[in-house]
Amino acid sequence: ETGVTQSPTHLIKTRGQQVTLRCSSQSGHNTVSWYQQALGQGPQFIFQYYREEENGRGNFPPRFSGLQFPNYSSELNVNALELDDSALYLCASSLTGGEEKLFFGSGTQLSVL
Amino acid sequence: GESVGLHLPTLSVQEGDNSIINCAYSNSASDYFIWYKQESGKGPQFIIDIRSNMDKRQGQRVTVLLNKTVKHLSLQIAATQPGDSAVYFCAENKNQAGTALIFGKGTTLSVSS
């Protein structure tokens, strides 16, 4: 186990709603990255937070936003949900912003109906 | 393209055989590569990593080979066991500040006993 915990494990929403996913990073890690994994695909980078600031962003629209808290836990918020947002959302923590090795949680499975 | 690709989506082997999973990457500026194993319902689990100043790195039952000339990465698993059945992803770091790992689509390894 990596020590990265995510909640909830499963979530069902309807199109147009908003969702908040949560992540607690591994002890001692100050950087959190979020990934979206569609069925049968590799994880796609959404964004990274380092010391409470966004430290890089992938090709996702602004309705995907995040926060990192002083204890390094993090939230991913998605507004105006679309059917294509249905996916496994993975949180990963790393020791620092420059550390490439990521430790993943088990993810939140989001279904948008 | 931007993402790391894999040669074969599936690989089936017998227990005890050696497995080789291949991966081609596109960015010659990438300086760090990593292999993850993902079992059903779980997040990606770190297997082994390698930097671009190395050609080979060995772990417990696993070896990663890097050929920068042809931008090719491979994962070798010795004496494959049924517990090795999973989806395997290679990922690269594009050597840009604030970016995280870029994943390929994955290879599903099935081990029969």
Side-chain angles (χ1 to χ4, degrees), chain B residues 53-79:
Chain B
N53 61 353
M54 302 174 68
D55 297 325
K56 178 180 179 179
R57 193 171 187 208
Q58 289 184 291
Q60 186 177 12
R61 278 201 310 119
V62 295
T63 300
V64 55
L65 298 177
L66 176 63
N67 186 331
K68 295 178 287 294
T69 302
V70 294
K71 292 188 286 188
H72 183 268
L73 191 69
S74 68
L75 176 70
Q76 300 178 1
I77 304 173

mmCIF file of all heavy atoms in Angstrom, chain B residues 53-79:
data_model
loop_
_atom_site.group_PDB
_atom_site.id
_atom_site.type_symbol
_atom_site.label_atom_id
_atom_site.label_comp_id
_atom_site.label_asym_id
_atom_site.label_seq_id
_atom_site.Cartn_x
_atom_site.Cartn_y
_atom_site.Cartn_z
ATOM 1 N N ASN B 53 20.509 8.351 -18.438
ATOM 2 C CA ASN B 53 21.960 8.128 -18.453
ATOM 3 C C ASN B 53 22.313 6.654 -18.192
ATOM 4 O O ASN B 53 23.481 6.311 -18.043
ATOM 5 C CB ASN B 53 22.661 9.030 -17.443
ATOM 6 C CG ASN B 53 22.215 8.768 -16.022
ATOM 7 O OD1 ASN B 53 21.281 8.006 -15.776
ATOM 8 N ND2 ASN B 53 22.872 9.421 -15.073
ATOM 9 N N MET B 54 21.297 5.813 -18.147
ATOM 10 C CA MET B 54 21.491 4.381 -17.945
ATOM 11 C C MET B 54 20.854 3.616 -19.096
ATOM 12 O O MET B 54 19.911 4.087 -19.737
ATOM 13 C CB MET B 54 20.870 3.925 -16.631
ATOM 14 C CG MET B 54 21.414 4.635 -15.407
ATOM 15 S SD MET B 54 20.519 4.191 -13.923
ATOM 16 C CE MET B 54 21.002 2.476 -13.738
ATOM 17 N N ASP B 55 21.369 2.399 -19.365
ATOM 18 C CA ASP B 55 20.792 1.531 -20.383
ATOM 19 C C ASP B 55 19.984 0.394 -19.774
ATOM 20 O O ASP B 55 19.113 -0.183 -20.424
ATOM 21 C CB ASP B 55 21.893 0.923 -21.246
ATOM 22 C CG ASP B 55 22.661 1.970 -22.013
ATOM 23 O OD1 ASP B 55 22.052 2.973 -22.426
ATOM 24 O OD2 ASP B 55 23.882 1.800 -22.183
ATOM 25 N N LYS B 56 20.295 0.065 -18.539
ATOM 26 C CA LYS B 56 19.701 -1.121 -17.927
ATOM 27 C C LYS B 56 19.643 -0.920 -16.426
ATOM 28 O O LYS B 56 20.549 -0.330 -15.829
ATOM 29 C CB LYS B 56 20.555 -2.341 -18.267
ATOM 30 C CG LYS B 56 20.096 -3.651 -17.676
ATOM 31 C CD LYS B 56 21.044 -4.774 -18.090
ATOM 32 C CE LYS B 56 20.643 -6.115 -17.509
ATOM 33 N NZ LYS B 56 21.572 -7.188 -17.960
ATOM 34 N N ARG B 57 18.571 -1.430 -15.847
ATOM 35 C CA ARG B 57 18.451 -1.413 -14.395
ATOM 36 C C ARG B 57 17.697 -2.655 -13.968
ATOM 37 O O ARG B 57 16.693 -3.021 -14.592
ATOM 38 C CB ARG B 57 17.728 -0.152 -13.929
ATOM 39 C CG ARG B 57 17.845 0.070 -12.450
ATOM 40 C CD ARG B 57 17.332 1.414 -12.032
ATOM 41 N NE ARG B 57 17.627 1.633 -10.616
ATOM 42 C CZ ARG B 57 16.907 2.394 -9.817
ATOM 43 N NH1 ARG B 57 15.842 3.022 -10.288
ATOM 44 N NH2 ARG B 57 17.241 2.543 -8.558
ATOM 45 N N GLN B 58 18.170 -3.265 -12.893
ATOM 46 C CA GLN B 58 17.545 -4.514 -12.446
ATOM 47 C C GLN B 58 16.924 -4.352 -11.086
ATOM 48 O O GLN B 58 17.443 -3.652 -10.207
ATOM 49 C CB GLN B 58 18.588 -5.633 -12.413
ATOM 50 C CG GLN B 58 19.024 -6.091 -13.793
ATOM 51 C CD GLN B 58 19.982 -7.259 -13.748
ATOM 52 O OE1 GLN B 58 21.114 -7.118 -13.325
ATOM 53 N NE2 GLN B 58 19.519 -8.428 -14.190
ATOM 54 N N GLY B 59 15.785 -5.026 -10.907
ATOM 55 C CA GLY B 59 15.147 -5.102 -9.607
ATOM 56 C C GLY B 59 14.930 -6.562 -9.266
ATOM 57 O O GLY B 59 15.577 -7.443 -9.828
ATOM 58 N N GLN B 60 14.000 -6.781 -8.368
ATOM 59 C CA GLN B 60 13.700 -8.156 -8.007
ATOM 60 C C GLN B 60 12.825 -8.780 -9.093
ATOM 61 O O GLN B 60 11.678 -8.410 -9.272
ATOM 62 C CB GLN B 60 12.974 -8.195 -6.676
ATOM 63 C CG GLN B 60 12.736 -9.586 -6.144
ATOM 64 C CD GLN B 60 12.081 -9.581 -4.775
ATOM 65 O OE1 GLN B 60 11.615 -8.550 -4.317
ATOM 66 N NE2 GLN B 60 12.028 -10.723 -4.132
ATOM 67 N N ARG B 61 13.362 -9.698 -9.861
ATOM 68 C CA ARG B 61 12.687 -10.402 -10.964
ATOM 69 C C ARG B 61 12.350 -9.498 -12.146
ATOM 70 O O ARG B 61 11.768 -9.957 -13.137
ATOM 71 C CB ARG B 61 11.373 -11.099 -10.515
ATOM 72 C CG ARG B 61 11.539 -12.419 -9.880
ATOM 73 C CD ARG B 61 10.271 -13.281 -9.925
ATOM 74 N NE ARG B 61 9.092 -12.583 -9.459
ATOM 75 C CZ ARG B 61 8.005 -12.361 -10.211
ATOM 76 N NH1 ARG B 61 7.969 -12.760 -11.481
ATOM 77 N NH2 ARG B 61 6.960 -11.734 -9.698
ATOM 78 N N VAL B 62 12.656 -8.238 -12.076
ATOM 79 C CA VAL B 62 12.365 -7.341 -13.193
ATOM 80 C C VAL B 62 13.626 -6.611 -13.654
ATOM 81 O O VAL B 62 14.514 -6.326 -12.857
ATOM 82 C CB VAL B 62 11.271 -6.303 -12.832
ATOM 83 C CG1 VAL B 62 9.943 -6.984 -12.581
ATOM 84 C CG2 VAL B 62 11.687 -5.455 -11.649
ATOM 85 N N THR B 63 13.657 -6.343 -14.963
ATOM 86 C CA THR B 63 14.751 -5.593 -15.571
ATOM 87 C C THR B 63 14.147 -4.609 -16.553
ATOM 88 O O THR B 63 13.247 -4.967 -17.325
ATOM 89 C CB THR B 63 15.712 -6.533 -16.330
ATOM 90 O OG1 THR B 63 16.251 -7.487 -15.416
ATOM 91 C CG2 THR B 63 16.854 -5.742 -16.959
ATOM 92 N N VAL B 64 14.617 -3.382 -16.531
ATOM 93 C CA VAL B 64 14.195 -2.398 -17.516
ATOM 94 C C VAL B 64 15.394 -2.093 -18.411
ATOM 95 O O VAL B 64 16.512 -1.910 -17.939
ATOM 96 C CB VAL B 64 13.629 -1.118 -16.858
ATOM 97 C CG1 VAL B 64 14.611 -0.496 -15.885
ATOM 98 C CG2 VAL B 64 13.214 -0.112 -17.912
ATOM 99 N N LEU B 65 15.134 -2.086 -19.714
ATOM 100 C CA LEU B 65 16.149 -1.752 -20.705
ATOM 101 C C LEU B 65 15.726 -0.492 -21.447
ATOM 102 O O LEU B 65 14.550 -0.351 -21.816
ATOM 103 C CB LEU B 65 16.314 -2.907 -21.699
ATOM 104 C CG LEU B 65 16.777 -4.247 -21.129
ATOM 105 C CD1 LEU B 65 16.817 -5.301 -22.231
ATOM 106 C CD2 LEU B 65 18.135 -4.117 -20.464
ATOM 107 N N LEU B 66 16.665 0.394 -21.666
ATOM 108 C CA LEU B 66 16.385 1.651 -22.351
ATOM 109 C C LEU B 66 17.308 1.778 -23.556
ATOM 110 O O LEU B 66 18.525 1.712 -23.415
ATOM 111 C CB LEU B 66 16.592 2.835 -21.402
ATOM 112 C CG LEU B 66 16.444 4.235 -21.985
ATOM 113 C CD1 LEU B 66 15.017 4.456 -22.496
ATOM 114 C CD2 LEU B 66 16.819 5.290 -20.946
ATOM 115 N N ASN B 67 16.727 1.944 -24.718
ATOM 116 C CA ASN B 67 17.489 2.175 -25.945
ATOM 117 C C ASN B 67 17.130 3.551 -26.469
ATOM 118 O O ASN B 67 16.091 3.740 -27.116
ATOM 119 C CB ASN B 67 17.155 1.088 -26.980
ATOM 120 C CG ASN B 67 18.024 1.198 -28.231
ATOM 121 O OD1 ASN B 67 18.460 2.285 -28.604
ATOM 122 N ND2 ASN B 67 18.285 0.083 -28.870
ATOM 123 N N LYS B 68 17.990 4.511 -26.193
ATOM 124 C CA LYS B 68 17.694 5.897 -26.560
ATOM 125 C C LYS B 68 17.819 6.127 -28.054
ATOM 126 O O LYS B 68 17.214 7.047 -28.598
ATOM 127 C CB LYS B 68 18.622 6.838 -25.780
ATOM 128 C CG LYS B 68 18.365 6.795 -24.284
ATOM 129 C CD LYS B 68 19.329 7.705 -23.538
ATOM 130 C CE LYS B 68 20.730 7.140 -23.481
ATOM 131 N NZ LYS B 68 20.828 5.906 -22.683
ATOM 132 N N THR B 69 18.602 5.307 -28.721
ATOM 133 C CA THR B 69 18.795 5.475 -30.163
ATOM 134 C C THR B 69 17.477 5.311 -30.912
ATOM 135 O O THR B 69 17.174 6.079 -31.835
ATOM 136 C CB THR B 69 19.822 4.460 -30.683
ATOM 137 O OG1 THR B 69 21.041 4.653 -29.983
ATOM 138 C CG2 THR B 69 20.061 4.647 -32.175
ATOM 139 N N VAL B 70 16.710 4.291 -30.509
ATOM 140 C CA VAL B 70 15.435 4.044 -31.185
ATOM 141 C C VAL B 70 14.254 4.419 -30.293
ATOM 142 O O VAL B 70 13.103 4.103 -30.637
ATOM 143 C CB VAL B 70 15.330 2.566 -31.627
ATOM 144 C CG1 VAL B 70 16.371 2.273 -32.698
ATOM 145 C CG2 VAL B 70 15.484 1.616 -30.463
ATOM 146 N N LYS B 71 14.514 5.062 -29.178
ATOM 147 C CA LYS B 71 13.471 5.508 -28.247
ATOM 148 C C LYS B 71 12.562 4.343 -27.849
ATOM 149 O O LYS B 71 11.336 4.372 -28.038
ATOM 150 C CB LYS B 71 12.693 6.675 -28.844
ATOM 151 C CG LYS B 71 13.542 7.945 -28.952
ATOM 152 C CD LYS B 71 12.742 9.172 -29.357
ATOM 153 C CE LYS B 71 12.396 9.110 -30.821
ATOM 154 N NZ LYS B 71 11.775 10.356 -31.312
ATOM 155 N N HIS B 72 13.184 3.335 -27.277
ATOM 156 C CA HIS B 72 12.473 2.112 -26.923
ATOM 157 C C HIS B 72 12.796 1.715 -25.484
ATOM 158 O O HIS B 72 13.933 1.806 -25.036
ATOM 159 C CB HIS B 72 12.883 0.991 -27.888
ATOM 160 C CG HIS B 72 12.172 -0.285 -27.673
ATOM 161 N ND1 HIS B 72 12.662 -1.284 -26.855
ATOM 162 C CD2 HIS B 72 10.997 -0.751 -28.164
ATOM 163 C CE1 HIS B 72 11.818 -2.309 -26.853
ATOM 164 N NE2 HIS B 72 10.811 -2.002 -27.644
ATOM 165 N N LEU B 73 11.776 1.271 -24.809
ATOM 166 C CA LEU B 73 11.869 0.871 -23.409
ATOM 167 C C LEU B 73 11.244 -0.514 -23.289
ATOM 168 O O LEU B 73 10.225 -0.793 -23.937
ATOM 169 C CB LEU B 73 11.070 1.875 -22.588
ATOM 170 C CG LEU B 73 11.154 1.917 -21.080
ATOM 171 C CD1 LEU B 73 12.519 2.397 -20.641
ATOM 172 C CD2 LEU B 73 10.080 2.860 -20.549
ATOM 173 N N SER B 74 11.840 -1.376 -22.488
ATOM 174 C CA SER B 74 11.216 -2.675 -22.277
ATOM 175 C C SER B 74 11.293 -3.078 -20.809
ATOM 176 O O SER B 74 12.189 -2.650 -20.077
ATOM 177 C CB SER B 74 11.860 -3.758 -23.142
ATOM 178 O OG SER B 74 13.176 -4.009 -22.720
ATOM 179 N N LEU B 75 10.323 -3.888 -20.419
ATOM 180 C CA LEU B 75 10.272 -4.448 -19.076
ATOM 181 C C LEU B 75 10.340 -5.956 -19.196
ATOM 182 O O LEU B 75 9.519 -6.549 -19.903
ATOM 183 C CB LEU B 75 8.976 -4.041 -18.373
ATOM 184 C CG LEU B 75 8.750 -4.641 -16.989
ATOM 185 C CD1 LEU B 75 9.729 -4.045 -15.983
ATOM 186 C CD2 LEU B 75 7.316 -4.426 -16.516
ATOM 187 N N GLN B 76 11.306 -6.545 -18.546
ATOM 188 C CA GLN B 76 11.442 -7.994 -18.550
ATOM 189 C C GLN B 76 11.090 -8.515 -17.166
ATOM 190 O O GLN B 76 11.609 -8.027 -16.178
ATOM 191 C CB GLN B 76 12.864 -8.406 -18.928
ATOM 192 C CG GLN B 76 13.277 -7.917 -20.305
ATOM 193 C CD GLN B 76 14.707 -8.281 -20.656
ATOM 194 O OE1 GLN B 76 15.414 -8.917 -19.880
ATOM 195 N NE2 GLN B 76 15.130 -7.876 -21.840
ATOM 196 N N ILE B 77 10.209 -9.510 -17.141
ATOM 197 C CA ILE B 77 9.816 -10.148 -15.889
ATOM 198 C C ILE B 77 10.273 -11.597 -15.951
ATOM 199 O O ILE B 77 9.873 -12.349 -16.850
ATOM 200 C CB ILE B 77 8.286 -10.087 -15.681
ATOM 201 C CG1 ILE B 77 7.787 -8.640 -15.750
ATOM 202 C CG2 ILE B 77 7.912 -10.707 -14.337
ATOM 203 C CD1 ILE B 77 6.268 -8.513 -15.718
ATOM 204 N N ALA B 78 11.115 -11.971 -15.021
ATOM 205 C CA ALA B 78 11.631 -13.345 -14.989
ATOM 206 C C ALA B 78 10.680 -14.251 -14.216
ATOM 207 O O ALA B 78 10.037 -13.828 -13.253
ATOM 208 C CB ALA B 78 13.005 -13.359 -14.339
ATOM 209 N N ALA B 79 10.584 -15.499 -14.689
ATOM 210 C CA ALA B 79 9.784 -16.513 -14.001
ATOM 211 C C ALA B 79 8.400 -15.966 -13.658
ATOM 212 O O ALA B 79 8.009 -15.892 -12.491
ATOM 213 C CB ALA B 79 10.503 -17.000 -12.756
#
